[in-house]
Amino acid sequence: DTGVSQNPRHKITKRGQNVTFRCDPISEHNRLYWYRQTLGQGPEFLTYFQNEAQLEKSRLLSDRFSAERPKGSFSTLEIQRTEQGDSAMYLCASSLTGGSGYTFGSGTRLTVV
Amino acid sequence: QKEVEQNSGPLSVPEGAIASLNCTYSDRGSQSFFWYRQYSGKSPELIMFIYSNGDKEDGRFTAQLNKASQYVSLLIRDSQPSDSATYLCAVNMILTGGGNKLTFGTGTQLKVEL
């Protein structure tokens, strides 16, 4: 159990570019979540996977955002045509079926300039 | 009204004192509640969760839940400088397939002073 791993840790991109983040959950965890956290706020739910199925998406997840979890293992979160308002910490979490609470990864800090 | 409300602080307590962190929530149907600790620049770490009215203790931490008042609190006994962090309260909602969506407050910053 090496914890939830997220890459990259930091990403600086120019406005209008596309970015992709990766999350590797704890190996036996079948549920995977993406959250976004801006300065001074708590994390906000973006989306949830059970195995490879994306079962819930927040309205915060505009059509510029897409998430995948092929084969129910790692997940990617892509943001197309980035905007300055996308600057935030993107957090991935995983849990077991019936588990209580999340284990968050270290996050990917995105800065759009 | 925000779904989960916390006083942003900072809450300053002397070393060795009891720190009391409070949280209120708006959805009366909420069933489970979580406390996370977040150090500056780091990701949140789960401290404890509570489902039932009353107190739940884990080491120096005690979570208290009063569903009638829609109130959750976290007590930290014998506060240490290493407890200085932002404490996030979260309320759980069950999703399709049994997943869990956590709605977080904005957090309370705790400072433990020597």
Side-chain angles (χ1 to χ4, degrees), chain A residues 17-21 64-66 77-83 86 90 110:
Chain A
Q17 297 295 303
N18 298 344
V19 294
T20 300
F21 312 139
R64 296 186 299 106
F65 288 71
S66 62
L77 178 68
E78 181 183 16
I79 309 174
Q80 296 182 327
R81 304 181 304 281
T82 52
E83 302 173 355
D86 297 331
Y90 289 83
L110 173 66

Side-chain angles (χ1 to χ4, degrees), chain B residues 54-68:
Chain B
D55 294 1
K56 179 181 178 182
E57 187 174 318
D58 184 359
R60 295 188 297 114
F61 299 97
T62 299
Q64 299 176 316
L65 174 60
N66 183 327
K67 289 185 178 179

